[in-house]
Amino acid sequence: IFDGIEFRKDIRTIVRAMNDVLDEGLPLHPLAIQRETVRDWRQIGIGVMGIADMLIKMELRYDSKEAIDICDFIAGILSDEAINASALLAKEKGVYPKYNELAVLTSEFIKANTSIETYNNVISYGLRNSQILTIAPTGSISTMLGVSGGIEPIFNLSYTRKTESLHGEDVYYKVFTPIAKDYMDKHNIENEEDLPDFFVITENLDPFMRVKMQGTWQKH
């Protein structure tokens, strides 16, 4: 079960944190035009990672209608709460210098991705950030944490790795994707071919549903 209430709390925290990071780093940019752009537009980029792992834990195939629906729900929360958090920051600290009230309030994206409460807060306070959301591939940090990157499906359940120095000769060994290894250990599964159907990888998912998943996040 996805905990939407806790997710909203996390979004509020990260929007504030990203604004703090922006302020901390603003004077450190080497070029004047960089400092001016950061100051005038206050662009941040809140996103997600580990979506493929999440779907596996929920026992949903990445390329299923159920997966699309839950991601639509999550992305909707993400956009609404992030916009609301930026509006409440604007109440506290002011809008970004280049804020264009008419452009924001008539934005089809804003109108489609905000609740009545959030939209009213934007009307009342404006926005602290010109850009709030992005879906990054998170290649490095997701690898560090051992989870799937961004909204991408798992590429493969295992791969072969070679070491040339640890044993004084070339040694090849199999490395499993963390979530697959954890599941196999927990359920005493020896071969990845015996994993349940919801362990879908890029090679065997429906490509049309892959595009639909991209589109679902894109609209938010």
Side-chain angles (χ1 to χ4, degrees):
I1 298 174
F2 186 84
D3 192 335
I5 295 175
E6 286 300 314
F7 187 48
R8 284 186 181 275
K9 292 179 183 178
D10 292 340
I11 295 166
R12 291 194 290 270
T13 298
I14 195 64
V15 168
R16 181 172 288 272
M18 290 291 283
N19 273 278
D20 289 345
V21 169
L22 185 150
D23 289 331
E24 185 74 18
L26 194 156
L28 304 179
H29 291 283
L31 301 180
I33 191 171
Q34 293 173 309
R35 296 189 293 273
E36 291 164 6
T37 300
V38 172
R39 179 199 65 208
D40 290 346
W41 298 98
R42 299 192 60 83
Q43 297 168 310
I44 60 174
I46 310 302
V48 294
M49 66 180 174
I51 293 299
D53 283 18
M54 178 200 74
L55 293 173
I56 287 172
K57 289 183 177 182
M58 299 177 80
E59 300 188 357
L60 297 174
R61 278 186 63 95
Y62 183 96
D63 57 352
S64 66
K65 181 182 182 303
E66 293 79 11
I68 298 293
D69 289 344
I70 189 66
C71 286
D72 193 21
F73 169 73
I74 292 169
I77 293 177
L78 176 63
S79 55
D80 177 57
E81 194 60 50
I83 293 167
N84 193 47
S86 185
L88 293 177
L89 269 179
K91 176 186 179 183
E92 180 182 332
K93 300 184 177 184
V95 298
Y96 61 93
K98 295 288 188 180
Y99 181 69
N100 183 325
E101 182 179 30
L102 178 62
V104 169
L105 296 181
T106 59
S107 163
E108 293 300 319
F109 177 84
I110 292 289
K111 289 190 285 187
N113 284 281
T114 53
S115 62
I116 294 174
E117 177 187 355
T118 296
Y119 190 73
N120 284 337
N121 282 339
V122 176
I123 292 174
S124 299
Y125 313 124
L127 290 172
R128 183 65 173 160
N129 312 97
S130 66
Q131 176 181 304
I132 305 171
L133 302 166
T134 190
I135 300 295
T138 67
S140 298
I141 56 175
S142 62
T143 300
M144 288 170 58
L145 295 173
V147 299
S148 54
I151 61 169
E152 301 300 315
I154 290 174
F155 181 73
N156 215 336
L157 298 175
S158 67
Y159 60 92
T160 300
R161 192 163 190 170
K162 181 181 79 168
T163 174
E164 298 179 353
S165 58
L166 293 179
H167 306 281
E169 60 181 351
D170 290 355
V171 175
Y172 295 85
Y173 53 98
K174 195 169 191 175
V175 179
F176 285 94
T177 297
I179 194 169
K181 185 67 166 63
D182 291 345
Y183 191 95
M184 291 169 70
D185 290 344
K186 184 177 179 180
H187 295 86
N188 297 315
I189 297 174
E190 294 185 1
N191 299 312
E192 62 206 76
E193 293 79 11
D194 297 326
L195 285 166
D197 182 59
F198 51 79
F199 275 89
V200 65
I201 59 175
T202 53
E203 184 178 294
N204 56 27
L205 60 78
D206 182 335
F208 294 100
M209 293 298 280
R210 175 77 173 87
V211 173
K212 193 165 186 178
M213 178 66 83
Q214 291 277 351
T216 296
W217 287 95
Q218 182 67 35
K219 72 178 183 180
H220 295 293

